[in-house]
Amino acid sequence: MANLLLFVSTVIIWGTTWIAIAMQVGAVPVLVSVFYRFAAAALIFLVVLGAMGKLKVPAARHQPFILAQALCLFSCNFICFYNAASYVPSGLISVIFSLATIYNAINARLFFGDRITGRTVVAAGLGASGLLLLFGPDILVHFDADTWKGVGLSALGTLFFSLGNMVSRRNSAGGIAPVIANAWGMTYGAIFLLLLIALTGTPVVAPPDTRYLIALLYLAAFGSVIGFTTYLMLVSRVGSSRAAYTTVLFPVVALSLSTVYEGYHWTPLAILGLVLTLAGNVVIFARPRSRSTDRAAARVSPP
């Protein structure tokens, strides 16, 4: 029951964050928007954990991995996603992000020696075919440079996210609770973003209106503090590959909102592309029937 609650919460929260990200793109530079988000999220985390007496500082041997988690999950990936939102609808970014299931399977093989199954290969083929149908007309037929940028940035952001999953898996195995890793990871992420802002001379622009502020608060409190905690708790409970199964469902939420608020136009090819991409995610989690299961079914089946 706990895993189901974590799963549903992650799907709903992360399915709605993409439109909030799109609402922040514009007057405020991307680096500053991402900094605002994780500075606010880190502050919430540290205050709440401190008030509960649960704020702990991970041992020195864990600090490089907390920093790696910060770079992959709480800064670099969102720099990519926020910039991508300038080029393609937010719902389509969520579809590319849904391929985290495949990224995770490959990275789990590279970093932890997990076996890559035939289902992973089939899922990758379905996912690639789906994306080709979704974006093919713009990147191949019309050669729209903005779409290329949006797709590339989304794919890079998803790679960072997947690498962050691997680091989180290591941190959980090392005995670091997801809330502790998140609290310090978001703090380090905010510091890193502040350094980037200073080094690049990016102007710090104040939130321009109420709409931006509402999106910021939602992304900080729900999308970051609650969303990442529920997701990484899933990672620690069921593994990175199965936790990424949440990405099968939230593109549907994100694209529905994108249709209403961004005027995303559905075409038959786009619908088929979405179906294929999500089917790839479903395939990677299909449970093969074991021989024992087949024998049991044979014993109870009618003659």
Side-chain angles (χ1 to χ4, degrees):
M1 186 62 180
N3 288 349
L4 178 62
L5 181 60
L6 291 171
F7 181 89
V8 172
S9 299
T10 303
V11 169
I12 293 175
I13 292 171
W14 278 2
T16 54
T17 54
W18 302 98
I19 193 67
I21 287 175
M23 290 168 64
Q24 287 198 298
V25 174
V28 179
V30 165
L31 282 178
V32 177
S33 285
V34 182
F35 166 73
Y36 283 156
R37 172 176 178 170
F38 286 107
L43 181 62
I44 294 171
F45 247 135
L46 295 177
V47 168
V48 170
L49 290 175
M52 296 172 64
K54 294 184 177 181
L55 184 60
K56 301 176 181 178
V57 179
R61 69 180 184 278
H62 296 307
Q63 290 298 328
F65 297 98
I66 299 294
L67 177 59
Q69 185 169 325
L71 295 177
C72 291
L73 289 182
F74 309 128
S75 52
C76 294
N77 59 329
F78 281 101
I79 293 173
C80 294
F81 291 137
Y82 275 64
N83 277 295
S86 300
Y87 302 111
V88 294
S90 62
L92 292 180
I93 298 173
S94 77
V95 176
I96 296 174
F97 182 66
S98 76
L99 296 181
T101 50
I102 297 168
Y103 279 76
N104 279 358
I106 295 172
N107 283 326
R109 169 62 180 174
L110 294 175
F111 292 101
F112 298 102
D114 293 359
R115 188 170 65 92
I116 292 181
T117 65
R119 285 179 292 139
T120 302
V121 177
V122 173
L126 287 171
S129 299
L131 290 181
L132 185 62
L133 290 176
L134 275 166
F135 296 102
D138 285 329
I139 64 177
L140 297 178
V141 179
H142 306 298
F143 200 81
D144 186 282
D146 285 349
T147 302
W148 272 103
K149 292 176 184 177
V151 171
L153 286 166
S154 300
L156 181 59
T158 305
L159 175 60
F160 277 122
F161 173 81
S162 178
L163 293 174
N165 276 222
M166 301 303 108
V167 180
S168 175
R169 177 172 165 178
R170 179 268 166 205
N171 289 340
S172 294
I176 305 173
V179 289
I180 298 298
N182 283 356
W184 291 111
M186 290 181 187
T187 301
Y188 296 169
I191 294 171
F192 172 71
L193 289 161
L194 190 59
L195 288 174
L196 280 183
I197 289 170
L199 290 173
T200 58
T202 303
V204 179
V205 178
D209 51 35
T210 303
R211 182 172 179 263
Y212 182 97
L213 277 173
I214 291 174
L216 172 60
L217 292 174
Y218 182 78
L219 288 169
F222 288 90
S224 300
V225 174
I226 298 176
F228 269 100
T229 299
T230 57
Y231 178 77
L232 293 181
M233 286 177 70
L234 268 180
V235 171
S236 65
R237 283 169 169 263
V238 303
S240 57
S241 292
R242 292 198 176 280
Y245 189 43
T246 54
T247 63
V248 175
L249 296 179
F250 69 63
V252 178
V253 178
L255 278 171
S256 298
L257 291 174
S258 184
T259 301
V260 174
Y261 294 103
E262 296 179 302
Y264 176 68
H265 177 65
W266 289 91
T267 65
L269 279 181
I271 294 172
L272 180 58
L274 175 63
V275 169
L276 286 177
T277 303
L278 299 186
N281 286 310
V282 172
V283 165
I284 204 170
F285 293 101
R287 290 179 175 273
R289 296 182 67 187
S290 65
R291 293 182 180 179
S292 59
T293 302
D294 289 339
R295 287 195 296 268
R299 285 197 296 269
V300 298
S301 61

